[in-house]
Amino acid sequence: MQKILIVIDMQNDFIDAALGTKEAQAIVDAVKEKILSYPTDNIIATMDTHFENYMETQEGKYLPVSHCIKGSDGWKIRPEIADLLAGAKIYEKPTFGSTALAADLKALSEKEEIELELIGLCTDICVVSNALLLKANMPEVKISVDAACCAGVTPEKHLAALETMRSCQIQISNDPVQG
């Protein structure tokens, strides 16, 4: 069985720039440790990727904060994390969940047994979106999220997203509620 780590949107804008939080900054070291615990070939990452017209998009109308504009410093993965992701497959996604990631992993799961672990930002937006998308496409694949390697927009939204995923049979490790 192949265990795959999916590192969601560990980009500057979500850590300490446009949409950064102290909670996001606080998980950087744990994320680095988690990445180091996996073979490089078993790591995938995503990048929130928008363009100059972001404010004209549906997302931009609901979240009017320009962020992760392709090529900007805010779009880049945090340098010390990017170094650890050298050689990893990276999916640029224009929205919360990556349908390409889900399709590729579903195809892989049809050839061999896999297990998926998600970490990253933000728990209540892109982590939960990808986790649910993956679960919907591969209901028999074990999917887990390491809560200690995730941060939400707020601590409350982080906990709510963990509860949503738990309700959908996604395993939560380092669970702040259930221990």
Side-chain angles (χ1 to χ4, degrees), residues 9 14 19 21 25 34 41 53-54 66 72 75 86-87 94 104 112 118 123 130 138 144 155 160 172 177:
D9 300 357
F14 294 128
L19 294 170
T21 65
Q25 293 167 35
K34 180 66 75 168
D41 293 351
N53 70 338
Y54 170 77
S66 187
S72 70
W75 173 74
D104 288 353
E112 65 180 278
L118 285 76
T123 319
N130 281 286
M138 298 170 288
S144 65
I172 308 299
V177 174

Side-chain angles (χ1 to χ4, degrees), residues 8-10 14 21 23-24 27 118-132 145-165 172 176:
I8 306 290
D9 300 357
M10 287 299 294
F14 294 128
T21 65
E23 292 83 12
I27 69 163
L118 285 76
I119 61 173
L121 301 168
C122 293
T123 319
D124 51 312
I125 302 174
C126 294
V127 174
V128 70
S129 295
N130 281 286
L132 294 175
V145 171
D146 186 338
C149 293
C150 295
V153 173
T154 66
E156 296 78 18
K157 289 185 176 189
H158 170 73
L159 293 173
L162 294 175
E163 182 58 34
T164 296
M165 290 185 280
I172 308 299

Side-chain angles (χ1 to χ4, degrees), residues 7-18 28 45-50 67-83 85 90 92 121:
V7 182
I8 306 290
D9 300 357
M10 287 299 294
Q11 294 161 267
N12 292 322
D13 271 345
F14 294 128
I15 297 171
D16 57 10
V28 170
T46 67
M47 293 178 74
D48 199 44
T49 302
H50 302 295
H67 67 281
C68 296
I69 305 301
K70 187 168 183 166
S72 70
D73 284 339
W75 173 74
K76 294 176 184 169
I77 294 174
R78 179 74 162 227
E80 64 267 36
I81 292 171
D83 290 344
L85 296 175
I90 298 178
E92 293 180 14
L121 301 168

